[in-house]
Amino acid sequence: MPPSFSTASQQRVSPTDYLDSRYSWIRLFVSVLLATLGSGGMWSIIVILPQVQDEFGINRGEASLAFTAVMIGFGLGNLIVGRLVDRFGIFIPLLLSCLLISGGFYLSTVVSSFWLFSVIQGTMIGLGTSTLFGPLMSDISHWFFKRLGIAIATAASGNYFAGCFWPLFIKDIVATEGWRDAYSLVSIILLATMLPLVLMLRRKVPSKVHAASAADQPIQTMRGETDLQPNMLQGLLVIAGIGCCVAMSMPQVHIVAYSDDLGYGIERGAEMLSLMLAGGIISRLASGFLADLFGGIKTLLLGSVLQCIGLILYLPFDGLTALYIISFIFGLSQGGIVPSYAIIVREYLPAREAGQRVGLVILATVAGMALGGWLSGLIYDLTQSYRAAFINGIGWNLLNIGIMTFVLWRSRLTLQPS
């Protein structure tokens, strides 16, 4: 049985009683399930993008704004909810998240205006989904010590598990019944499955133990040292996060539409997206192991270089088989990038500020996804081709590589006794 963390017993609880404990792993498993279920809105909008464009009579750039709205709500939510989790824990935010996401899916089906549809995507689905990423990673980081990197990366993988599952689940419903019927069904499923899981995460880390063991230092086996001021490091991570995710968004947001334009259909595009995110899961889990060995900065830099190579591969190849293979390769390269930012925050910045600092850098990555998703649609409308959009992504990717190389040059990791 996991240890009891009642107020009366907090003085006697040692961090070794709960860090990397059996309950820690159970909590991580439940967190991944929640993220898998609740993050579907981020990927479902990509599958329905062609139908939304046709139904509302808009162009590709305008249709992409619905995804941008999701990303804006998701990004702001990571920052706002991250602060709340630092103070009050994650249970109440998760409860509200469940209601917002389920309600957002349902209300999306009853609107007749694209702009109202987009507002619902941002304020309900985007904001609700935000709790299931940065804040969830921040929460789980306080339950692990020796396996911090893999714990954070695994929690982040729920977002990609959602990307593997939901596009495949709804693609046939969208093709035969339409996107509104698909969204109605998802709304019911989420409400029925997420609420029981949220109730399993009511327990908090013992506050007195956390204060005594963490204080201003990160809880992990590797501690970062840098001559960069904390806010300078945070600022560089923000800019790097925007750069990598503008690049990342090109295939992730537009692969279904790209497939449809090439004549392969949205079903094949949804399969490419799921294959891409399956590769991303492998990459995220691997990045956790690598971060525990080499640190978050080197892990992030490796992923960014490989992501750039993956983007370049899209330029000369557009055959169906080639796109399946390249999408999987791209997923394998980029999946570990975003969780690495959270690991870097925990390596180099104060543990007591983890929620808000992780939230800020996640906001930056999401801003990059939102900007990149819209830019790619705009470039397509201007050129009637995605080639220039891929080149735009490569340029932003090089910016990320340059910044992280500089941060690596000014930083080092030292072993911290466990």
Side-chain angles (χ1 to χ4, degrees):
M1 294 292 291
S4 173
F5 295 153
S6 64
T7 303
S9 65
Q10 283 185 2
Q11 291 280 15
R12 301 189 301 274
V13 176
S14 165
T16 57
D17 292 330
Y18 69 91
L19 292 173
D20 300 281
S21 67
R22 179 173 174 267
Y23 175 74
S24 299
W25 292 102
I26 293 174
R27 189 178 184 92
L28 177 59
F29 177 72
V30 173
S31 297
V32 171
L33 282 181
L34 270 172
T36 301
L37 290 166
S39 299
M42 294 180 61
W43 310 110
S44 299
I45 187 66
I46 297 172
V47 177
I48 70 171
L49 189 65
Q51 282 197 2
V52 168
Q53 179 183 349
D54 292 341
E55 179 175 328
F56 290 106
I58 53 180
N59 60 34
R60 184 67 51 80
E62 289 173 322
S64 299
L65 289 175
F67 176 82
T68 299
V70 174
M71 290 294 99
I72 291 172
F74 182 75
L76 291 175
N78 269 275
L79 179 61
I80 296 169
V81 179
R83 290 177 179 268
L84 293 176
V85 170
D86 281 341
R87 295 187 62 184
F88 305 112
I90 202 166
F91 172 65
I92 296 300
L94 282 176
L95 191 61
L96 294 175
S97 170
C98 173
L99 299 176
L100 280 172
I101 298 170
S102 177
F105 269 96
Y106 174 74
L107 290 178
S108 296
T109 68
V110 300
V111 300
S112 57
S113 162
F114 172 74
W115 298 110
L116 185 55
F117 171 82
S118 296
V119 168
I120 292 172
Q121 299 308 298
T123 58
M124 299 188 72
I125 293 180
L127 184 60
T129 305
S130 68
T131 308
L132 303 169
F133 198 63
L136 205 63
M137 285 191 284
S138 175
D139 173 76
I140 207 65
S141 75
H142 296 302
W143 294 89
F144 286 87
F145 177 74
K146 294 180 179 179
R147 295 292 179 264
L148 179 64
I150 188 61
I152 290 176
T154 302
S157 296
N159 180 272
Y160 274 7
F161 277 119
C164 290
F165 171 72
W166 286 111
L168 294 179
F169 178 81
I170 71 169
K171 68 181 180 69
D172 291 331
I173 304 174
V174 170
T176 58
E177 305 296 332
W179 68 269
R180 293 179 188 268
D181 284 352
Y183 265 41
S184 295
L185 178 60
V186 172
S187 173
I188 296 171
I189 292 173
L190 293 182
L191 190 62
T193 57
M194 288 184 68
L195 279 177
L197 292 171
V198 170
L199 294 174
M200 297 177 67
L201 299 184
R202 289 175 294 175
R203 182 172 294 162
K204 295 182 180 179
V205 174
S207 58
K208 293 183 180 179
V209 172
H210 183 268
S213 62
D216 287 344
Q217 297 299 326
I219 301 178
Q220 54 189 9
T221 51
M222 300 293 285
R223 184 173 67 197
E225 296 180 357
T226 178
D227 57 359
L228 298 171
Q229 294 297 314
N231 288 340
M232 174 63 75
L233 176 59
Q234 180 85 66
L236 289 172
L237 292 177
V238 164
I239 298 172
I242 292 173
C244 75
C245 288
V246 170
M248 190 184 299
S249 68
M250 173 52 239
Q252 284 193 355
V253 177
H254 289 273
I255 191 65
V256 176
Y258 184 43
S259 171
D260 198 38
D261 289 345
L262 291 173
Y264 303 132
I266 63 172
E267 294 91 345
R268 303 290 81 76
E271 290 168 358
M272 292 174 198
L273 177 62
S274 292
L275 192 61
M276 182 188 299
L277 298 177
I281 293 170
I282 297 172
S283 176
R284 286 197 167 172
L285 295 176
S287 72
F289 286 106
L290 290 174
D292 284 336
L293 293 173
F294 304 111
I297 295 176
K298 292 180 180 179
T299 302
L300 193 155
L301 192 54
L302 174 63
S304 187
V305 170
L306 293 176
Q307 175 179 269
C308 193
I309 294 172
L311 281 171
I312 292 172
L313 288 175
Y314 276 106
L315 292 175
F317 302 106
D318 61 4
L320 181 61
T321 302
L323 286 176
Y324 277 118
I325 295 172
I326 296 170
S327 295
F328 184 64
I329 291 173
F330 183 80
L332 285 174
S333 68
Q334 55 79 37
I337 295 177
V338 174
S340 293
Y341 288 108
I343 294 169
I344 293 168
V345 168
R346 294 292 276 117
E347 286 173 343
Y348 289 89
L349 297 170
R352 71 168 184 266
E353 301 171 0
Q356 60 182 318
R357 288 193 179 273
V358 170
L360 181 58
V361 75
I362 295 301
L363 170 61
T365 64
V366 172
M369 290 290 292
L371 175 62
W374 172 74
L375 272 178
S376 297
L378 177 63
I379 291 171
Y380 175 86
D381 288 335
L382 293 174
T383 66
Q384 293 302 299
S385 168
Y386 276 119
R387 183 176 182 81
F390 281 116
I391 295 172
N392 173 67
I394 292 168
W396 284 92
N397 206 142
L398 292 174
L399 171 65
N400 172 267
I401 291 172
I403 292 173
M404 295 314 302
T405 300
F406 172 75
V407 172
L408 177 63
W409 175 53
R410 300 289 292 270
S411 309
R412 68 188 180 99
L413 285 176
T414 59
L415 288 174
Q416 175 179 309
S418 51

